[in-house]
Amino acid sequence: MFHVEEESSGGDGSEIDEEFGGDDSTTSLSRWVFDEKDDYEVNEDYDDDGYDEHNHPEMDSDEEDDNVEQRLIRTSPAVDSFDVDALEIPGTQKNEIEDTGIGKKLILALQTLGVVFGDIGTSPLYTFTVMFRRSPINDKEDIIGALSLVIYTLILIPLVKYVHFVLWANDDGEGGTFALYSLICRHANVSLIPNQLPSDARISGFGLKVPSPELERSLIIKERLEASMALKKLLLILVLAGTAMVIADAVVTPAMSVMSAIGGLKVGVGVIEQDHVVVISVSFLVILFSVQKYGTSKLGLVLGPALLLWFFCLAGIGIYNLVKYDSSVFKAFNPAYIYFFFKRNSVNAWYALGGCVLCATGSEAMFADLSYFSVHSIQLTFILLVLPCLLLGYLGQAAYLSENFSAAGDAFFSSVPSSLFWPVFLISNVAALIASRAMTTATFTCIKQSIALGCFPRLKIIHTSKKFIGQIYIPVLNWSLLVVCLIVVCSTSNIFAIGNAYGIAELGIMMTTTILVTLIMLLIWQTNIIVVSMFAIVSLIVELVFFSSVCSSVADGSWIILVFATIMFLIMFVWNYGSKLKYETEVQKKLPMDLLRELGSNLGTIRAPGIGLLYNELAKGVPAIFGHFLTTLPAIHSMVIFVCIKYVPVPSVPQTERFLFRRVCPRSYHLFRCVARYGYKDVRKESHQAFEQILIESLEKFIRKEAQERALESDGDHNDTDSEDDTTLSRVLIAPNGSVYSLGVPLLAEHMNSSNKRPMERRKASIDFGAGPSSALDVEQSLEKELSFIHKAKESGVVYLLGHGDIRATKDSWFLKKLVINYLYAFLRKNSRRGITNLSVPHTHLMQVGMTYMV
């Protein structure tokens, strides 16, 4: 393995520190330099991405400035031949959870309780306690007013907003903030990293819902989003802020749930003090995060029945208190009592909203944990079980408090019958532990999505279920959350301050979700504008009112969670900014095709038997780092494939649509570009042998399809040598699986205005250049020869050539840019996982070159 570092800002050489074959050598002389002669002459047309023997569009207009000195052809934008080379297999990838039978749905419903509803299910432990701490009880009407607030908060936020609207905004079964962002990116080009390919839109998962051309509103919104860089950045900042709040929520949820459950000891055992509660809570939290690695499905099946028993306890205790104390609390279903509550208590009632919102905590978990389960299982479980039990639990507490005002300090445990206190205490603690996992699992899902979309440093991800690929565990994140959670518990040590922090995190997520779902309703669903307006206005007004209440108490200690959320936001923003800058720089520095052509088929070096897989992040073009392999290695492999691992904004890419291939330069060069496309839900757990096998098989399919097209083109040319280019455009190939492939110069019909300037030159190049076969027999012989060449190269071995590009700010950059790029982004990149780690490639098969770009 060797490593090369170069500053690409200038010079024709590089300093190389190399370790290869056990010998160290140093050189500062390149084998070739860029040609800057004014009399450089271009004889044929190439596009800057590569060479296609039957398709020669013009040069892309985004070449770097140095190419002007080399006098490369610069005309209209090229149509990438990736648009043609994708093997399109009809069919749609559906969330496999939706296609389960009745028995499995019942199991999923039970798991849903153990994973999704633990958070919202334990809210009766602390909601009234926090509310009446902020707004003390003066008379019975205050209890009815507070209960009415809780009832309509549960109806408006979890039931109406999430169950009936937000859950349907899933991205093919995936939920969470980044799933919404991915869905928007798929229908409008708003991603800041410019690695999109037109052929991505033909992946099966892309075909969900497309804005109708007849609906002007959707098209106007799409155009404005794509045209405005400010709107793109604003959308990304909103998504990153919402994700930061999700991570913060995963910290305060365990702290709040566990401390409120353990706090019941102060009611059952008089000698227990708050310090004892903190110590016991710390022990429970350590145990909780330690068992997280055993997975969602395993723990869901174990803890699901426990939470089912908890909901039955809530309902049973509620019914008992209603019968024993005061059933008149049912009048709280009249929303007029909310008005009376604010009229009597004014400012205190507004403060009480910060406690009221806690009854809806866990609403986002229903959506964020959607990847673990199905929409219907979550909807049915909430409507038929969770919501009725919660309402009965709150009604029972209100009935008890109507005759025991002094018990408001611990409303839930005080309302439990004394004979049932210890069994209920035990069950509540189990439920609290389960609840603590709800946002943790949601956070794992959200972080995985953000990593795939280039907004979070790469981390180790463990898949805990073979049946459901969405169930994951992230060790580093798990232990980081534990550390921050313990800091919050030990520094605040009371549920009132933690409850306020809890409200801030939850409302931050809710408002982000509201804005994104509103955009989806306008852009994708094309919902009636009246419905969209009602959803957005009602949701935002309710959430902003709640948010104003919790923000008024930030100084009580909840500022800690805001600091943590800010740190998470900065990490994601810096990573995305650095990744974007790095990608744009690599695009500018990519090798011009005329340089490879000048080197000849041997690339100016010796071609040794074997296949070299050069990994890089460019979806188009030849990476500049390939030049350093040519100057550094004594020989290069007889076949080189530029491999780009690319995540597209879909949950999953079918294996049949995984690879896109195209030829770079004529056939004698044996250079190919491959884009391996993954969805953010896909699992990259294949071994390097399996990956090589799949890649080579896909390459052979590409070569066979290319040969079929050449053969048909050749037949057509012999039958009608005077035919125009338009004839080539009209031919199609029907594959055995029913797929239809365009032939000749595919997908150029819509670009005729820009491509008809030199039709005869392009046609001559596509037919004559590279000594293309002139008959079907020659095509077949050429095909067999090339396939045989691939097999021999494969037998000689496959070596992974890894290009690591780093960036550093130039000396004249702003101080802030230097800080972000040279220190923050460099630190994150140094401590994140390399993309090749998932393939488990032996070190004996690795060669690495590093390159530093000055930006």
Side-chain angles (χ1 to χ4, degrees), residues 451-490:
I451 290 173
L453 295 177
C455 295
F456 202 92
R458 288 184 291 267
L459 302 174
K460 181 179 181 180
I461 298 175
I462 298 174
H463 294 264
T464 60
S465 174
K466 294 182 180 179
K467 294 181 179 179
F468 305 114
I469 61 175
Q471 300 183 5
I472 59 174
Y473 167 69
I474 304 178
V476 172
L477 183 63
N478 184 68
W479 300 117
S480 300
L481 293 176
L482 171 61
V483 171
V484 180
C485 184
L486 295 181
I487 292 174
V488 170
V489 169
C490 295

mmCIF file of all heavy atoms in Angstrom, residues 451-490:
data_model
loop_
_atom_site.group_PDB
_atom_site.id
_atom_site.type_symbol
_atom_site.label_atom_id
_atom_site.label_comp_id
_atom_site.label_asym_id
_atom_site.label_seq_id
_atom_site.Cartn_x
_atom_site.Cartn_y
_atom_site.Cartn_z
ATOM 1 N N ILE A 451 -26.153 9.899 6.476
ATOM 2 C CA ILE A 451 -24.842 9.448 5.992
ATOM 3 C C ILE A 451 -24.922 9.151 4.501
ATOM 4 O O ILE A 451 -24.058 9.555 3.715
ATOM 5 C CB ILE A 451 -24.380 8.199 6.762
ATOM 6 C CG1 ILE A 451 -24.029 8.556 8.212
ATOM 7 C CG2 ILE A 451 -23.176 7.550 6.083
ATOM 8 C CD1 ILE A 451 -23.724 7.359 9.088
ATOM 9 N N ALA A 452 -25.981 8.454 4.095
ATOM 10 C CA ALA A 452 -26.137 8.080 2.688
ATOM 11 C C ALA A 452 -26.300 9.300 1.794
ATOM 12 O O ALA A 452 -25.862 9.287 0.641
ATOM 13 C CB ALA A 452 -27.334 7.142 2.526
ATOM 14 N N LEU A 453 -26.902 10.360 2.314
ATOM 15 C CA LEU A 453 -27.134 11.558 1.509
ATOM 16 C C LEU A 453 -26.034 12.608 1.679
ATOM 17 O O LEU A 453 -26.181 13.750 1.282
ATOM 18 C CB LEU A 453 -28.494 12.166 1.871
ATOM 19 C CG LEU A 453 -29.702 11.278 1.532
ATOM 20 C CD1 LEU A 453 -30.990 11.927 1.994
ATOM 21 C CD2 LEU A 453 -29.766 10.966 0.050
ATOM 22 N N GLY A 454 -24.916 12.209 2.310
ATOM 23 C CA GLY A 454 -23.753 13.078 2.383
ATOM 24 C C GLY A 454 -23.847 14.188 3.402
ATOM 25 O O GLY A 454 -23.205 15.225 3.238
ATOM 26 N N CYS A 455 -24.612 13.986 4.468
ATOM 27 C CA CYS A 455 -24.790 15.041 5.470
ATOM 28 C C CYS A 455 -24.312 14.640 6.857
ATOM 29 O O CYS A 455 -24.596 15.354 7.831
ATOM 30 C CB CYS A 455 -26.261 15.452 5.540
ATOM 31 S SG CYS A 455 -26.869 16.213 4.025
ATOM 32 N N PHE A 456 -23.599 13.537 6.969
ATOM 33 C CA PHE A 456 -23.074 13.123 8.274
ATOM 34 C C PHE A 456 -21.849 12.248 8.018
ATOM 35 O O PHE A 456 -21.829 11.461 7.071
ATOM 36 C CB PHE A 456 -24.131 12.342 9.063
ATOM 37 C CG PHE A 456 -23.905 12.343 10.547
ATOM 38 C CD1 PHE A 456 -24.502 13.320 11.332
ATOM 39 C CD2 PHE A 456 -23.098 11.398 11.166
ATOM 40 C CE1 PHE A 456 -24.300 13.339 12.704
ATOM 41 C CE2 PHE A 456 -22.879 11.415 12.522
ATOM 42 C CZ PHE A 456 -23.488 12.387 13.306
ATOM 43 N N PRO A 457 -20.808 12.377 8.864
ATOM 44 C CA PRO A 457 -19.621 11.521 8.693
ATOM 45 C C PRO A 457 -19.992 10.043 8.743
ATOM 46 O O PRO A 457 -20.898 9.649 9.475
ATOM 47 C CB PRO A 457 -18.730 11.923 9.878
ATOM 48 C CG PRO A 457 -19.174 13.293 10.251
ATOM 49 C CD PRO A 457 -20.647 13.337 9.975
ATOM 50 N N ARG A 458 -19.289 9.223 7.957
ATOM 51 C CA ARG A 458 -19.585 7.794 7.903
ATOM 52 C C ARG A 458 -19.249 7.111 9.220
ATOM 53 O O ARG A 458 -18.155 7.287 9.760
ATOM 54 C CB ARG A 458 -18.811 7.143 6.758
ATOM 55 C CG ARG A 458 -19.334 7.508 5.383
ATOM 56 C CD ARG A 458 -18.594 6.746 4.299
ATOM 57 N NE ARG A 458 -17.212 7.196 4.175
ATOM 58 C CZ ARG A 458 -16.819 8.135 3.335
ATOM 59 N NH1 ARG A 458 -17.695 8.721 2.539
ATOM 60 N NH2 ARG A 458 -15.557 8.501 3.269
ATOM 61 N N LEU A 459 -20.184 6.323 9.726
ATOM 62 C CA LEU A 459 -20.028 5.596 10.978
ATOM 63 C C LEU A 459 -20.285 4.113 10.746
ATOM 64 O O LEU A 459 -20.893 3.722 9.751
ATOM 65 C CB LEU A 459 -21.007 6.117 12.041
ATOM 66 C CG LEU A 459 -20.936 7.597 12.393
ATOM 67 C CD1 LEU A 459 -22.056 7.965 13.352
ATOM 68 C CD2 LEU A 459 -19.581 7.947 13.014
ATOM 69 N N LYS A 460 -19.831 3.301 11.659
ATOM 70 C CA LYS A 460 -20.086 1.862 11.583
ATOM 71 C C LYS A 460 -21.555 1.594 11.882
ATOM 72 O O LYS A 460 -22.081 2.022 12.912
ATOM 73 C CB LYS A 460 -19.205 1.109 12.579
ATOM 74 C CG LYS A 460 -19.396 -0.404 12.530
ATOM 75 C CD LYS A 460 -18.489 -1.107 13.525
ATOM 76 C CE LYS A 460 -18.676 -2.621 13.456
ATOM 77 N NZ LYS A 460 -17.797 -3.325 14.421
ATOM 78 N N ILE A 461 -22.217 0.867 10.987
ATOM 79 C CA ILE A 461 -23.637 0.547 11.138
ATOM 80 C C ILE A 461 -23.793 -0.965 11.175
ATOM 81 O O ILE A 461 -23.315 -1.672 10.284
ATOM 82 C CB ILE A 461 -24.466 1.138 9.987
ATOM 83 C CG1 ILE A 461 -24.357 2.667 9.984
ATOM 84 C CG2 ILE A 461 -25.932 0.712 10.089
ATOM 85 C CD1 ILE A 461 -25.051 3.328 8.817
ATOM 86 N N ILE A 462 -24.455 -1.471 12.213
ATOM 87 C CA ILE A 462 -24.687 -2.906 12.367
ATOM 88 C C ILE A 462 -26.157 -3.193 12.117
ATOM 89 O O ILE A 462 -27.030 -2.559 12.719
ATOM 90 C CB ILE A 462 -24.297 -3.378 13.785
ATOM 91 C CG1 ILE A 462 -22.798 -3.134 14.017
ATOM 92 C CG2 ILE A 462 -24.645 -4.855 13.980
ATOM 93 C CD1 ILE A 462 -22.353 -3.435 15.431
ATOM 94 N N HIS A 463 -26.435 -4.126 11.241
ATOM 95 C CA HIS A 463 -27.817 -4.510 10.942
ATOM 96 C C HIS A 463 -28.200 -5.669 11.865
ATOM 97 O O HIS A 463 -27.573 -6.730 11.855
ATOM 98 C CB HIS A 463 -27.963 -4.893 9.473
ATOM 99 C CG HIS A 463 -27.737 -3.739 8.559
ATOM 100 N ND1 HIS A 463 -28.763 -2.982 8.044
ATOM 101 C CD2 HIS A 463 -26.591 -3.185 8.090
ATOM 102 C CE1 HIS A 463 -28.265 -2.022 7.287
ATOM 103 N NE2 HIS A 463 -26.951 -2.120 7.298
ATOM 104 N N THR A 464 -29.237 -5.451 12.662
ATOM 105 C CA THR A 464 -29.592 -6.390 13.721
ATOM 106 C C THR A 464 -30.663 -7.391 13.330
ATOM 107 O O THR A 464 -31.015 -8.243 14.119
ATOM 108 C CB THR A 464 -30.070 -5.615 14.968
ATOM 109 O OG1 THR A 464 -31.227 -4.834 14.608
ATOM 110 C CG2 THR A 464 -28.989 -4.688 15.477
ATOM 111 N N SER A 465 -31.205 -7.273 12.124
ATOM 112 C CA SER A 465 -32.259 -8.191 11.694
ATOM 113 C C SER A 465 -32.007 -8.629 10.256
ATOM 114 O O SER A 465 -31.714 -7.807 9.388
ATOM 115 C CB SER A 465 -33.643 -7.534 11.798
ATOM 116 O OG SER A 465 -34.647 -8.371 11.254
ATOM 117 N N LYS A 466 -32.102 -9.939 10.000
ATOM 118 C CA LYS A 466 -31.949 -10.457 8.645
ATOM 119 C C LYS A 466 -33.244 -10.334 7.851
ATOM 120 O O LYS A 466 -33.229 -10.346 6.634
ATOM 121 C CB LYS A 466 -31.517 -11.921 8.702
ATOM 122 C CG LYS A 466 -30.129 -12.133 9.288
ATOM 123 C CD LYS A 466 -29.747 -13.598 9.276
ATOM 124 C CE LYS A 466 -28.339 -13.803 9.858
ATOM 125 N NZ LYS A 466 -27.960 -15.230 9.866
ATOM 126 N N LYS A 467 -34.368 -10.233 8.552
ATOM 127 C CA LYS A 467 -35.659 -10.167 7.880
ATOM 128 C C LYS A 467 -36.002 -8.743 7.468
ATOM 129 O O LYS A 467 -36.527 -8.503 6.392
ATOM 130 C CB LYS A 467 -36.757 -10.717 8.794
ATOM 131 C CG LYS A 467 -36.627 -12.204 9.087
ATOM 132 C CD LYS A 467 -37.771 -12.678 9.970
ATOM 133 C CE LYS A 467 -37.654 -14.178 10.258
ATOM 134 N NZ LYS A 467 -38.757 -14.642 11.135
ATOM 135 N N PHE A 468 -35.716 -7.771 8.346
ATOM 136 C CA PHE A 468 -36.074 -6.380 8.078
ATOM 137 C C PHE A 468 -34.794 -5.551 8.065
ATOM 138 O O PHE A 468 -34.197 -5.304 9.111
ATOM 139 C CB PHE A 468 -37.047 -5.858 9.142
ATOM 140 C CG PHE A 468 -38.271 -6.705 9.286
ATOM 141 C CD1 PHE A 468 -38.512 -7.401 10.453
ATOM 142 C CD2 PHE A 468 -39.177 -6.820 8.246
ATOM 143 C CE1 PHE A 468 -39.639 -8.184 10.588
ATOM 144 C CE2 PHE A 468 -40.304 -7.596 8.371
ATOM 145 C CZ PHE A 468 -40.547 -8.295 9.547
ATOM 146 N N ILE A 469 -34.383 -5.122 6.852
ATOM 147 C CA ILE A 469 -33.076 -4.496 6.711
ATOM 148 C C ILE A 469 -33.031 -3.102 7.308
ATOM 149 O O ILE A 469 -31.971 -2.514 7.428
ATOM 150 C CB ILE A 469 -32.668 -4.436 5.223
ATOM 151 C CG1 ILE A 469 -33.668 -3.594 4.423
ATOM 152 C CG2 ILE A 469 -32.549 -5.824 4.631
ATOM 153 C CD1 ILE A 469 -33.245 -3.394 2.978
ATOM 154 N N GLY A 470 -34.168 -2.543 7.708
ATOM 155 C CA GLY A 470 -34.158 -1.199 8.274
ATOM 156 C C GLY A 470 -33.773 -1.151 9.732
ATOM 157 O O GLY A 470 -33.583 -0.079 10.290
ATOM 158 N N GLN A 471 -33.650 -2.316 10.374
ATOM 159 C CA GLN A 471 -33.391 -2.350 11.810
ATOM 160 C C GLN A 471 -31.884 -2.371 12.041
ATOM 161 O O GLN A 471 -31.211 -3.354 11.742
ATOM 162 C CB GLN A 471 -34.089 -3.555 12.430
ATOM 163 C CG GLN A 471 -35.591 -3.512 12.214
ATOM 164 C CD GLN A 471 -36.325 -4.654 12.868
ATOM 165 O OE1 GLN A 471 -35.729 -5.456 13.581
ATOM 166 N NE2 GLN A 471 -37.625 -4.728 12.650
ATOM 167 N N ILE A 472 -31.364 -1.269 12.609
ATOM 168 C CA ILE A 472 -29.917 -1.069 12.684
ATOM 169 C C ILE A 472 -29.493 -0.623 14.070
ATOM 170 O O ILE A 472 -30.320 -0.268 14.921
ATOM 171 C CB ILE A 472 -29.451 -0.017 11.651
ATOM 172 C CG1 ILE A 472 -30.160 1.322 11.917
ATOM 173 C CG2 ILE A 472 -29.701 -0.499 10.230
ATOM 174 C CD1 ILE A 472 -29.668 2.460 11.043
ATOM 175 N N TYR A 473 -28.167 -0.640 14.275
ATOM 176 C CA TYR A 473 -27.553 -0.203 15.523
ATOM 177 C C TYR A 473 -26.230 0.470 15.174
ATOM 178 O O TYR A 473 -25.437 -0.059 14.394
ATOM 179 C CB TYR A 473 -27.335 -1.408 16.437
ATOM 180 C CG TYR A 473 -26.432 -1.155 17.621
ATOM 181 C CD1 TYR A 473 -26.837 -0.320 18.668
ATOM 182 C CD2 TYR A 473 -25.184 -1.759 17.710
ATOM 183 C CE1 TYR A 473 -26.008 -0.097 19.758
ATOM 184 C CE2 TYR A 473 -24.350 -1.543 18.799
ATOM 185 C CZ TYR A 473 -24.770 -0.707 19.815
ATOM 186 O OH TYR A 473 -23.957 -0.478 20.898
ATOM 187 N N ILE A 474 -26.005 1.671 15.739
ATOM 188 C CA ILE A 474 -24.775 2.427 15.464
ATOM 189 C C ILE A 474 -24.013 2.584 16.777
ATOM 190 O O ILE A 474 -24.393 3.395 17.637
ATOM 191 C CB ILE A 474 -25.097 3.808 14.861
ATOM 192 C CG1 ILE A 474 -25.955 3.649 13.598
ATOM 193 C CG2 ILE A 474 -23.814 4.565 14.545
ATOM 194 C CD1 ILE A 474 -26.368 4.957 12.962
ATOM 195 N N PRO A 475 -22.965 1.795 16.998
ATOM 196 C CA PRO A 475 -22.276 1.783 18.302
ATOM 197 C C PRO A 475 -21.772 3.142 18.761
ATOM 198 O O PRO A 475 -22.008 3.541 19.912
ATOM 199 C CB PRO A 475 -21.117 0.799 18.066
ATOM 200 C CG PRO A 475 -21.551 -0.050 16.917
ATOM 201 C CD PRO A 475 -22.391 0.829 16.044
ATOM 202 N N VAL A 476 -21.048 3.862 17.893
ATOM 203 C CA VAL A 476 -20.470 5.144 18.307
ATOM 204 C C VAL A 476 -21.559 6.114 18.744
ATOM 205 O O VAL A 476 -21.441 6.790 19.779
ATOM 206 C CB VAL A 476 -19.642 5.753 17.148
ATOM 207 C CG1 VAL A 476 -19.200 7.164 17.499
ATOM 208 C CG2 VAL A 476 -18.446 4.877 16.839
ATOM 209 N N LEU A 477 -22.622 6.180 17.976
ATOM 210 C CA LEU A 477 -23.717 7.078 18.314
ATOM 211 C C LEU A 477 -24.397 6.645 19.609
ATOM 212 O O LEU A 477 -24.770 7.484 20.439
ATOM 213 C CB LEU A 477 -24.724 7.111 17.169
ATOM 214 C CG LEU A 477 -25.903 8.064 17.335
ATOM 215 C CD1 LEU A 477 -25.419 9.499 17.420
ATOM 216 C CD2 LEU A 477 -26.883 7.916 16.178
ATOM 217 N N ASN A 478 -24.557 5.354 19.797
ATOM 218 C CA ASN A 478 -25.215 4.841 20.993
ATOM 219 C C ASN A 478 -24.483 5.275 22.261
ATOM 220 O O ASN A 478 -25.088 5.792 23.212
ATOM 221 C CB ASN A 478 -25.282 3.310 20.917
ATOM 222 C CG ASN A 478 -26.037 2.696 22.074
ATOM 223 O OD1 ASN A 478 -27.242 2.852 22.209
ATOM 224 N ND2 ASN A 478 -25.313 1.994 22.947
ATOM 225 N N TRP A 479 -23.161 5.089 22.282
ATOM 226 C CA TRP A 479 -22.405 5.445 23.480
ATOM 227 C C TRP A 479 -22.263 6.960 23.644
ATOM 228 O O TRP A 479 -22.197 7.465 24.776
ATOM 229 C CB TRP A 479 -21.030 4.773 23.443
ATOM 230 C CG TRP A 479 -21.126 3.278 23.390
ATOM 231 C CD1 TRP A 479 -20.691 2.451 22.400
ATOM 232 C CD2 TRP A 479 -21.744 2.435 24.373
ATOM 233 N NE1 TRP A 479 -20.983 1.149 22.701
ATOM 234 C CE2 TRP A 479 -21.624 1.101 23.907
ATOM 235 C CE3 TRP A 479 -22.373 2.656 25.599
ATOM 236 C CZ2 TRP A 479 -22.121 0.016 24.613
ATOM 237 C CZ3 TRP A 479 -22.876 1.573 26.303
ATOM 238 C CH2 TRP A 479 -22.739 0.276 25.824
ATOM 239 N N SER A 480 -22.248 7.682 22.540
ATOM 240 C CA SER A 480 -22.211 9.150 22.629
ATOM 241 C C SER A 480 -23.499 9.683 23.250
ATOM 242 O O SER A 480 -23.466 10.593 24.095
ATOM 243 C CB SER A 480 -22.010 9.762 21.242
ATOM 244 O OG SER A 480 -20.794 9.330 20.668
ATOM 245 N N LEU A 481 -24.618 9.119 22.837
ATOM 246 C CA LEU A 481 -25.892 9.528 23.425
ATOM 247 C C LEU A 481 -25.935 9.227 24.909
ATOM 248 O O LEU A 481 -26.475 10.006 25.710
ATOM 249 C CB LEU A 481 -27.053 8.816 22.710
ATOM 250 C CG LEU A 481 -27.298 9.211 21.245
ATOM 251 C CD1 LEU A 481 -28.414 8.358 20.643
ATOM 252 C CD2 LEU A 481 -27.646 10.682 21.121
ATOM 253 N N LEU A 482 -25.371 8.082 25.299
ATOM 254 C CA LEU A 482 -25.349 7.731 26.722
ATOM 255 C C LEU A 482 -24.564 8.759 27.526
ATOM 256 O O LEU A 482 -25.015 9.216 28.586
ATOM 257 C CB LEU A 482 -24.732 6.340 26.910
ATOM 258 C CG LEU A 482 -24.457 5.927 28.364
ATOM 259 C CD1 LEU A 482 -25.759 5.887 29.170
ATOM 260 C CD2 LEU A 482 -23.746 4.580 28.426
ATOM 261 N N VAL A 483 -23.388 9.150 27.021
ATOM 262 C CA VAL A 483 -22.560 10.118 27.746
ATOM 263 C C VAL A 483 -23.292 11.446 27.923
ATOM 264 O O VAL A 483 -23.342 12.005 29.035
ATOM 265 C CB VAL A 483 -21.225 10.336 26.992
ATOM 266 C CG1 VAL A 483 -20.451 11.500 27.610
ATOM 267 C CG2 VAL A 483 -20.386 9.062 27.027
ATOM 268 N N VAL A 484 -23.876 11.950 26.857
ATOM 269 C CA VAL A 484 -24.586 13.229 26.940
ATOM 270 C C VAL A 484 -25.814 13.097 27.844
ATOM 271 O O VAL A 484 -26.133 14.017 28.612
ATOM 272 C CB VAL A 484 -24.993 13.710 25.538
ATOM 273 C CG1 VAL A 484 -25.742 15.040 25.622
ATOM 274 C CG2 VAL A 484 -23.774 13.868 24.650
ATOM 275 N N CYS A 485 -26.498 11.957 27.758
ATOM 276 C CA CYS A 485 -27.674 11.737 28.606
ATOM 277 C C CYS A 485 -27.308 11.765 30.083
ATOM 278 O O CYS A 485 -28.019 12.369 30.907
ATOM 279 C CB CYS A 485 -28.318 10.396 28.241
ATOM 280 S SG CYS A 485 -29.851 10.049 29.118
ATOM 281 N N LEU A 486 -26.195 11.138 30.428
ATOM 282 C CA LEU A 486 -25.752 11.139 31.826
ATOM 283 C C LEU A 486 -25.371 12.551 32.274
ATOM 284 O O LEU A 486 -25.623 12.935 33.430
ATOM 285 C CB LEU A 486 -24.561 10.194 31.993
ATOM 286 C CG LEU A 486 -24.841 8.708 31.755
ATOM 287 C CD1 LEU A 486 -23.579 7.876 31.983
ATOM 288 C CD2 LEU A 486 -25.966 8.210 32.663
ATOM 289 N N ILE A 487 -24.789 13.330 31.376
ATOM 290 C CA ILE A 487 -24.448 14.721 31.716
ATOM 291 C C ILE A 487 -25.721 15.513 32.005
ATOM 292 O O ILE A 487 -25.785 16.288 32.972
ATOM 293 C CB ILE A 487 -23.651 15.378 30.564
ATOM 294 C CG1 ILE A 487 -22.270 14.731 30.448
ATOM 295 C CG2 ILE A 487 -23.529 16.876 30.789
ATOM 296 C CD1 ILE A 487 -21.470 15.208 29.253
ATOM 297 N N VAL A 488 -26.748 15.323 31.172
ATOM 298 C CA VAL A 488 -28.012 16.036 31.376
ATOM 299 C C VAL A 488 -28.645 15.650 32.699
ATOM 300 O O VAL A 488 -29.105 16.506 33.474
ATOM 301 C CB VAL A 488 -28.978 15.744 30.204
ATOM 302 C CG1 VAL A 488 -30.377 16.277 30.514
ATOM 303 C CG2 VAL A 488 -28.455 16.369 28.925
ATOM 304 N N VAL A 489 -28.679 14.350 32.995
ATOM 305 C CA VAL A 489 -29.314 13.873 34.233
ATOM 306 C C VAL A 489 -28.579 14.398 35.460
ATOM 307 O O VAL A 489 -29.196 14.876 36.425
ATOM 308 C CB VAL A 489 -29.362 12.331 34.250
ATOM 309 C CG1 VAL A 489 -29.764 11.816 35.628
ATOM 310 C CG2 VAL A 489 -30.336 11.831 33.205
ATOM 311 N N CYS A 490 -27.256 14.335 35.437
ATOM 312 C CA CYS A 490 -26.479 14.736 36.616
ATOM 313 C C CYS A 490 -26.424 16.256 36.791
ATOM 314 O O CYS A 490 -26.305 16.748 37.922
ATOM 315 C CB CYS A 490 -25.053 14.180 36.511
ATOM 316 S SG CYS A 490 -24.972 12.379 36.553
#
